Amino acid sequence: MTDRRGVVAKRAENLAPDVPYVRGWNTARRGAGALADQLVLLGLDSDFPGLVADVNVAGDGLVHLGTVRPEAAELLAGLIAAGLQAELHGVVAGTTPTTRRETPAA
């Protein structure tokens, strides 16, 4: 079974010679590493002990979060939503949001 992005394709356990598995796995490793770095900064690294890079049969990199507690998943979802909200409102981490000044009508 495969979704439209191929993420649900089977893991690459039997390798095919014409598929660039290393490239996909390396991409996944970078993504997993970036996420792991942020989780460490937030003190959440112990909540995601199964975070690993992987690759599927098509050579696409995958990041597995592993089995996590529901509270950890909710917290991660909340952090993602907060980050998206901050991005939408132009807030940069570590700064105070500024209000936009209206230009007086002439």
Side-chain angles (χ1 to χ4, degrees):
M1 178 170 76
T2 303
D3 67 340
R4 64 187 173 108
R5 293 185 182 171
V7 174
V8 188
K10 290 183 180 181
R11 293 182 58 229
E13 294 172 350
N14 297 319
L15 305 180
D18 59 336
V19 178
Y21 296 108
V22 174
R23 186 178 309 136
W25 181 84
N26 198 30
T27 300
R29 184 181 60 83
R30 284 193 306 273
L35 179 56
D37 291 346
Q38 294 304 309
L39 292 172
V40 167
L41 290 175
L42 294 166
L44 298 174
D45 50 316
S46 62
D47 287 313
F48 295 87
L51 178 65
V52 294
D54 201 354
V55 65
N56 68 14
V57 294
D60 301 319
L62 304 173
V63 175
H64 291 276
L65 297 180
T67 303
V68 297
R69 295 176 305 112
E71 297 84 7
E74 286 180 26
L75 182 56
L76 182 59
L79 289 168
I80 292 169
L84 290 172
Q85 282 293 334
E87 187 175 306
L88 287 172
H89 296 303
V91 176
V92 178
T95 63
T96 308
T98 57
T99 57
R100 294 185 179 162
R101 294 184 179 174
E102 295 290 325
T103 309

